[in-house]
Amino acid sequence: MENEELQQIMHVLNSLVSWVAAGAMMFGGVVPYIPQYRDIRRTQNAEGFSTYVCLVLLVANILRILFRFGRYFETLLLWQSIIMIATMLAMLNLCTNVRVTAELNTKRRSFLDFDWNYFWLWSRFLDYVQCVAAFTLTAAYITYVLLDSALFVEMLGFLAVFSEAMLGTPQLYCNYQNKSTEGMSVKMVLMWTGGDTFKTGYFLLTQAPVQFWTCGMLQVLVDLSILFQVFYYSFYPQKPVSHTTSHTTSAKAL
């Protein structure tokens, strides 16, 4: 009798842990952008956030969804991509509205102008939606044509997770150029590191495709490199400390 009760308790605990882990996987990636979204709405200033992070994450998650047609992975990761795409579109909508309001006298730029000098710097949210739709349809058609090619499918999965893994490299390079991490939120980097470590461990435990956990490890390595820069430039400053707050335009925006 006692053994049956113990087994029931363990079953409930295992179910609870599984639900918590699933929720963390689906929503954990968007959590760092919630305070950024609220801050932009409060200040009506989007200069501290680079919309290129939205571009990279949109591309990465669209490719990941297409990868699932060629090689199955669990539905949880599919929902993670869908939630991230919705979040990035919301960020783009807010940033576009704030920027256009602040630049009333600036000439309006459109996706249909096909001007590469202003790529991803358009004046309407609709232009970003058109670009994302065009990319999705093009990538979907190519995937449909080459879906029987195992090499193409594996490359598609690699591109999806590798592009996401490289999100921290612009920040890493920016810190190296400035010889400082001033203006960068250390708490945010710690959140990235914790989230990426959890995600990589989840990929390994659930035996996700090799592309997922390999690039997850790379992402953790980039996060740790940024944290090392924080330590190094704090104890070995390379330039005088400025008294003004600088805004980073990294791809992994704060």
Side-chain angles (χ1 to χ4, degrees):
M1 190 68 179
E2 291 181 356
N3 289 336
E4 291 181 359
E5 291 179 353
L6 181 60
Q7 288 178 356
Q8 290 179 351
I9 292 174
M10 292 301 298
H11 177 72
V12 172
L13 288 176
N14 287 335
S15 299
L16 180 61
V17 171
S18 297
W19 278 101
V20 171
M25 280 299 299
M26 284 196 298
F27 298 101
V30 306
V31 169
Y33 301 100
I34 294 176
Q36 181 69 61
Y37 185 92
R38 296 179 63 183
D39 186 56
I40 293 174
R41 285 195 62 179
R42 179 177 56 83
T43 63
Q44 290 297 297
N45 186 348
E47 292 182 1
F49 179 77
S50 173
T51 54
Y52 286 103
V53 66
C54 301
L55 172 63
V56 174
L57 282 174
L58 285 168
V59 170
N61 285 280
I62 290 169
L63 292 179
R64 183 195 285 188
I65 291 174
L66 294 175
F67 174 57
R68 194 173 190 265
F69 288 97
R71 183 170 179 182
Y72 177 83
F73 54 82
E74 62 177 321
T75 306
L76 176 65
L77 299 178
L78 174 64
W79 278 107
Q80 181 193 51
S81 293
I82 294 172
I83 292 170
M84 181 60 77
I85 289 172
T87 302
M88 292 301 102
L89 289 175
M91 290 294 298
L92 277 174
N93 186 31
L94 176 64
C95 292
T96 303
N97 291 336
V98 169
R99 187 176 68 246
V100 170
T101 302
E103 300 175 351
L104 294 177
N105 297 325
T106 304
K107 180 182 178 181
R108 296 293 184 258
R109 301 293 178 179
S110 171
F111 167 68
L112 297 179
D113 293 338
F114 299 110
D115 187 348
W116 283 102
N117 293 324
Y118 292 93
F119 177 77
W120 213 249
L121 296 172
W122 303 306
S123 303
R124 300 178 304 164
F125 174 63
L126 179 61
D127 293 305
Y128 293 94
V129 174
Q130 290 173 343
C131 179
V132 171
F135 172 79
T136 303
L137 291 174
T138 302
Y141 177 75
I142 295 173
T143 302
Y144 173 77
V145 172
L146 300 176
L147 194 58
D148 293 332
S149 171
L151 177 61
F152 171 78
V153 171
E154 294 302 320
M155 285 298 298
L156 184 65
F158 176 77
L159 287 175
V161 290
F162 182 75
S163 57
E164 184 176 355
M166 290 292 99
L167 275 176
T169 53
Q171 179 67 67
L172 188 71
Y173 182 69
C174 179
N175 293 341
Y176 173 76
Q177 277 193 319
N178 295 334
K179 305 300 181 184
S180 172
T181 58
E182 184 184 4
M184 185 189 72
S185 172
V186 178
K187 292 181 180 179
M188 189 66 70
V189 180
L190 289 172
M191 288 179 63
W192 297 338
T193 307
D196 293 338
T197 302
F198 172 83
K199 179 175 64 177
T200 304
Y202 184 88
F203 289 155
L204 289 169
L205 291 175
T206 57
Q207 297 181 340
V210 64
Q211 296 97 328
F212 284 68
W213 59 262
T214 301
C215 290
M217 289 182 175
L218 179 60
Q219 200 165 0
V220 172
L221 179 62
V222 173
D223 295 337
L224 291 175
S225 299
I226 296 175
L227 289 175
F228 174 76
Q229 287 181 322
V230 174
F231 168 81
Y232 183 81
Y233 291 132
S234 295
F235 286 90
Y236 305 98
Q238 306 294 304
K239 70 175 186 178
V241 178
S242 172
H243 295 287
T244 59
T245 303
S246 62
H247 296 288
T248 179
T249 57
S250 66
K252 249 185 176 174
L254 309 184

